[in-house]
Amino acid sequence: MLCSSCEKGVRKCGRNNPADTKSVKREGEEVTQCSPDLASRGGSVLTFHNICYHVKMKTGFLCCQKTANKEVLRDVNGIMRPGLNAILGPTGSGKSSLLDILAARKDPHGLSGDILINGAPQPANFKCTSGYVVQDDVVMGTLTVRENLKFSAALRLPKSVKEQEKNERVNQIIKELGLSKVADSKVGTQFTRGVSGGERKRTNIGMELITDPAILFLDEPTTGLDASTANAVLLMAKQGKTIIFSIHQPRYSIFRLFDNMTLLAVGRVLYHGPTQHAIEYFQSIGYECEPYNNPADFFLDIINGDSTAVAMSKTDETNTGMKTRSTEECTDYDKTLAEKLAEKYSNSVYYQETKAVLENISLGNKKKTKAVFRQITYANSFLHQLKWVSKRTFKNLVGNPQASIAQLCVTAFLGLVVGAIFFGLKEDSSGLQNRVGAMFFLTTNQCFSSISAIELFVVEKKIFIHEYISGYYRTSAYFISKLMADLIPMRTIPSIIFTCIIYFMLGKYVEAFFTMMFTLMMVSYTATSMALAIAAGQSVVAVANLLMTITFVFMIIFSGLLVNLTSIMSWLSWLKYFSIPRYGMTALQINELTDLNFCSSSNDTNLISNDNYRQLSRWCTGNEYLKNQGIDVSSWGLWQNHLALACMTVIFLTIAYLKLHFMKKFS
């Protein structure tokens, strides 16, 4: 006698208590079916009822866009028990969408149906308590395998778990996944060589196993791995849990590990049940697998219509009395093949059995689940999250020093070059022009140097989305930690170095040094915050880079050098208040030009040889030049620029945070 839930002998599966089983007739054979609650003794049982999913697709240009509803999944039902549950199907079949829906990581708009865990509604924080391994690796490459696992343990295990217990859990995961030899090796980035692809994938799985989830989801876990490594990864992941994963076309050595299989095509279920019964089922509807053929290839060939079994089936239909069809009719036949297979499955005994079990489980649990999909819960406080995310961010900065060291070197070199060009400024008409030109270059350089900040959120977007949804940390903790890691080492230190080199090479006075340094730092902070506001939520660095460049070009026009701001028409003059370089350059000019006399040299007349010098020679003092530019030389006139830069910084950072917080995090 067989158990229809686990397809093993009753004695073999350990469920031979008559009270725990019930008899079911299947094709003339009496089988014993385990009770749903007992199927979960080795792990959780996930059931999904009448899952339908539609998305809105926009076509056409902006002026005449049309919206159409696309059906991704239709009436999908099934049971995922402890063991390996594979979701197979060709490209576009909806297997990844189904996986995301079961894991509560799909946008609930357009979604209907119920998902139950052990017969109860899916918990509100299910996405945080289950494990989900994405197809693309989302581990920090500059950290070691052990450090990545420790990061997961520190943020996903509650503070009630002692540090020693967390370390023991990490060591246990490393041992179970066979990562002992590479535990203290860096995972690797595009610049540095690290562990192998299989070890990287196992590190991903280990980060999800830290919390010992009852259900583990994997999206294409064998992608990019050789056959033996892929085989090992699935065996490592099993460990008596309920494993649900999507896979495209596995080889037989992997296919034979599957306990349960769900076959999808065009969003419809073609088969759902024990893997070892799949071939038998398709044979019963007229498709016979050839000897030595991989069953996974056989199933996909049936769906695609290029299998020998499909060709034989068509021939049989023709021989039994079907008339010869035209080429167009044959195409229609191929298009509806998947739907016909879905109808045959819905009339099969396998579907009827699954439906009966689902109806039995869902009694009294009609509550919809899509309303709670977005709830995120955290195991630790904000300060604990901030501590660990900041720690990882600084480790990442130190472990990948190419960008930071390069920026410091370029800053020092540029400072020396500019200092040499403007070396030893004199108090004459040429000195006035050189001073204004030097201050224009300083503010412009600070702005364009901040463009590198656009990569701060774009490069790690996938890691942030995955860790945020999984409940690692709050958006605010991630945002503040990234600011601390970028503003302090990447913006403050270069500004100090740049000021120290240039200021004294230009022959300045010590009294104005700190004002100049503070001004350049504020310009850098404001430009960086604007870069973050533009780049937050973007997926492509090039787009953010283009937007930043265009914005800075328009700001430079209103900086005060290229055009006299007092001469601009009133309906355009308001744009100057949005120019970051203008505030920086105005503050620098007040700081450097106030009370300077440019007519004291007797050789002034010999230096005035072109229109620019004649224009500048009209002003003997810096105060006269500033007055002509419409600049207030009072103390408030100086510090109001810093206040404006501070306000713009706060506004831009607020925009960046809100964009990050409300960014679409569900697929």
Side-chain angles (χ1 to χ4, degrees):
M1 187 176 292
L2 297 174
C3 167
S4 64
S5 295
C6 59
E7 304 302 330
K8 297 177 181 177
V10 173
R11 294 186 182 275
K12 186 175 180 181
C13 77
R15 300 169 189 162
N16 54 355
N17 186 348
D20 296 339
T21 60
K22 62 179 180 178
S23 296
V24 179
K25 293 283 186 181
R26 181 197 292 172
E27 298 178 359
E29 178 189 7
E30 184 176 353
V31 298
T32 301
Q33 189 176 71
C34 299
S35 300
D37 58 331
L38 294 173
S40 64
R41 285 179 179 172
S44 296
V45 176
L46 184 147
T47 57
F48 44 102
H49 311 247
N50 305 318
I51 298 296
C52 296
Y53 185 58
H54 298 79
V55 294
K56 292 183 179 180
M57 306 290 291
K58 293 183 179 180
T59 57
F61 296 100
L62 295 175
C63 55
C64 53
Q65 277 192 344
K66 294 182 180 180
T67 303
N69 282 328
K70 179 183 178 182
E71 184 181 61
V72 180
L73 295 171
R74 188 205 311 177
D75 194 26
V76 178
N77 299 271
I79 307 171
M80 301 297 190
R81 297 185 174 86
L84 291 178
N85 300 269
I87 303 176
L88 276 76
T91 303
S93 61
K95 57 182 183 294
S96 293
S97 296
L98 177 60
L99 186 75
D100 289 340
I101 289 171
L102 298 182
R105 291 169 183 260
K106 180 67 75 174
D107 190 341
H109 295 293
L111 175 63
S112 63
D114 298 318
I115 301 173
L116 304 179
I117 309 296
N118 293 331
Q122 198 175 36
N125 63 338
F126 178 70
K127 67 177 72 63
C128 301
T129 57
S130 60
Y132 189 94
V133 180
V134 297
Q135 181 176 351
D136 299 322
D137 297 327
V138 287
V139 290
M140 193 66 70
T142 53
L143 271 60
T144 65
V145 172
R146 189 184 304 277
E147 287 172 340
N148 275 292
L149 295 177
K150 275 185 152 183
F151 178 79
S152 179
L155 294 179
R156 303 190 74 183
L157 296 178
K159 291 192 80 173
S160 58
V161 180
K162 296 181 180 179
E163 192 70 24
Q164 182 181 354
E165 295 177 3
K166 292 180 181 179
N167 292 333
E168 289 175 356
R169 179 64 179 158
V170 169
N171 294 332
Q172 180 188 354
I173 294 292
I174 289 174
K175 185 177 180 181
E176 289 177 353
L177 296 181
L179 295 170
S180 300
K181 293 183 178 179
V182 295
D184 297 310
S185 301
K186 289 187 177 181
V187 175
T189 64
Q190 57 182 341
F191 303 109
T192 59
R193 184 177 178 84
V195 299
S196 66
E199 291 163 341
R200 190 183 184 96
K201 181 67 71 175
R202 276 180 273 168
T203 303
N204 272 271
I205 295 174
M207 292 185 70
E208 300 303 315
L209 293 178
I210 283 289
T211 57
D212 194 25
I215 301 178
L216 179 64
F217 298 91
L218 301 99
D219 187 13
E220 299 279 358
T222 60
T223 300
L225 304 180
D226 60 86
S228 60
T229 304
N231 193 23
V233 164
L234 287 179
L235 286 174
M236 296 285 184
K238 191 172 182 180
Q239 297 183 356
K241 302 180 183 299
T242 302
I243 310 298
I244 305 172
F245 59 97
S246 62
I247 194 166
H248 181 65
Q249 202 165 2
R251 61 180 258 173
Y252 178 70
S253 63
I254 296 176
F255 176 83
R256 64 187 176 86
L257 299 174
F258 302 165
D259 298 307
N260 193 75
M261 186 185 79
T262 303
L263 187 62
L264 294 177
V266 294
R268 302 287 302 276
V269 179
L270 307 189
Y271 175 79
H272 174 78
T275 304
Q276 58 267 38
H277 290 175
I279 295 179
E280 178 186 343
Y281 164 72
F282 279 100
Q283 187 176 357
S284 68
I285 61 174
Y287 300 97
E288 186 170 353
C289 183
E290 296 176 323
Y292 308 108
N293 189 10
N294 180 9
D297 296 336
F298 168 68
F299 299 143
L300 293 181
D301 286 343
I302 292 176
I303 297 171
N304 295 328
D306 55 2
S307 171
T308 306
V310 177
M312 291 174 61
S313 177
K314 291 180 181 178
T315 304
D316 291 341
E317 290 179 359
T318 304
N319 293 337
T320 54
M322 292 183 66
K323 295 182 179 180
T324 305
R325 296 187 298 248
S326 65
T327 305
E328 184 177 351
E329 289 174 334
C330 289
T331 304
D332 294 336
Y333 177 88
D334 292 335
K335 287 181 179 178
T336 59
L337 177 60
E339 294 186 0
K340 288 184 177 180
L341 290 172
E343 291 176 3
K344 288 183 179 181
Y345 168 71
S346 62
N347 296 324
S348 69
V349 67
Y350 292 93
Y351 177 77
Q352 301 302 329
E353 285 182 8
T354 301
K355 198 70 174 172
V357 175
L358 290 176
E359 289 176 358
N360 184 41
I361 293 175
S362 62
L363 289 177
N365 291 296
K366 297 296 184 182
K367 184 179 179 180
K368 299 295 180 183
T369 57
K370 67 178 181 179
V372 297
F373 267 37
R374 298 188 180 211
Q375 185 169 338
I376 306 248
T377 57
Y378 305 99
N380 294 280
S381 65
F382 167 78
L383 292 178
H384 183 80
Q385 294 172 359
L386 180 62
K387 168 190 169 184
W388 276 91
V389 179
S390 301
K391 186 178 178 181
R392 185 183 70 167
T393 305
F394 279 106
K395 277 187 177 180
N396 182 43
L397 188 66
V398 174
N400 189 23
Q402 288 88 346
S404 55
I405 292 178
Q407 183 166 351
L408 292 177
C409 293
V410 170
T411 299
F413 176 76
L414 195 61
L416 292 172
V417 172
V418 174
I421 294 174
F422 295 99
F423 184 78
L425 293 177
K426 299 178 181 179
E427 293 188 14
D428 53 22
S429 55
S430 64
L432 175 59
Q433 183 185 25
N434 290 342
R435 278 179 169 83
V436 175
M439 287 181 282
F440 174 77
F441 176 81
L442 292 178
T443 53
T444 304
N445 176 67
Q446 291 297 95
C447 289
F448 281 100
S449 297
S450 301
I451 292 182
S452 61
I454 62 177
E455 296 186 0
L456 200 62
F457 295 135
V458 177
V459 173
E460 294 182 10
K461 183 179 178 181
K462 290 182 179 179
I463 295 179
F464 164 68
I465 290 176
H466 172 71
E467 293 178 343
Y468 170 78
I469 293 177
S470 299
Y472 279 73
Y473 44 71
R474 296 167 175 82
T475 305
S476 54
Y478 176 78
F479 183 76
I480 294 175
S481 68
K482 298 301 285 186
L483 288 185
M484 291 169 57
D486 185 78
L487 290 183
I488 296 175
M490 301 293 289
R491 311 300 158 195
T492 306
I493 296 176
S495 297
I496 294 174
I497 294 175
F498 199 54
T499 307
C500 290
I501 294 175
I502 286 187
Y503 191 85
F504 296 105
M505 289 185 71
L506 299 185
K508 306 284 186 176
Y509 298 101
V510 179
E511 290 78 10
F513 170 76
F514 292 104
T515 303
M516 178 181 178
M517 184 173 66
F518 179 68
T519 302
L520 293 181
M521 287 171 56
M522 288 301 300
V523 171
S524 181
Y525 289 165
T526 310
T528 300
S529 61
M530 190 183 78
L532 297 179
I534 291 176
Q538 292 283 348
S539 300
V540 183
V541 175
V543 175
N545 202 340
L546 179 63
L547 292 174
M548 280 290 297
T549 304
I550 293 174
T551 305
F552 278 142
V553 167
F554 278 100
M555 285 185 174
I556 288 172
I557 295 176
F558 292 91
S559 63
L561 176 70
L562 303 179
V563 61
N564 191 306
L565 298 179
T566 59
S567 64
I568 299 178
M569 293 177 287
S570 58
W571 62 277
L572 278 177
S573 61
W574 59 272
L575 290 173
K576 67 184 179 182
Y577 297 109
F578 297 96
S579 175
I580 296 174
R582 168 183 170 267
Y583 292 113
M585 191 169 175
T586 300
L588 290 178
Q589 288 181 106
I590 296 173
N591 184 54
E592 302 300 329
L593 300 182
T594 302
D595 298 331
L596 286 184
N597 190 347
F598 299 103
C599 296
S600 59
S601 175
S602 59
N603 297 325
D604 264 1
T605 54
N606 298 327
L607 298 171
I608 304 173
S609 57
N610 55 44
D611 292 339
N612 288 334
Y613 284 126
R614 292 191 184 96
Q615 180 73 12
L616 292 170
S617 66
R618 292 186 301 169
W619 306 293
C620 286
T621 65
N623 292 39
E624 292 177 359
Y625 172 79
L626 294 174
K627 184 178 180 180
N628 178 265
Q629 297 294 315
I631 297 174
D632 181 9
V633 297
S634 65
S635 179
W636 167 245
L638 171 65
W639 295 108
Q640 69 178 352
N641 296 287
H642 299 95
L643 179 61
L645 290 173
C647 292
M648 292 179 72
T649 301
V650 172
I651 292 172
F652 284 134
L653 290 180
T654 303
I655 294 173
Y657 173 76
L658 292 177
K659 287 180 68 176
L660 206 63
H661 182 73
F662 293 105
M663 178 176 63
K664 184 178 179 181
K665 302 179 181 70
F666 295 88
S667 59

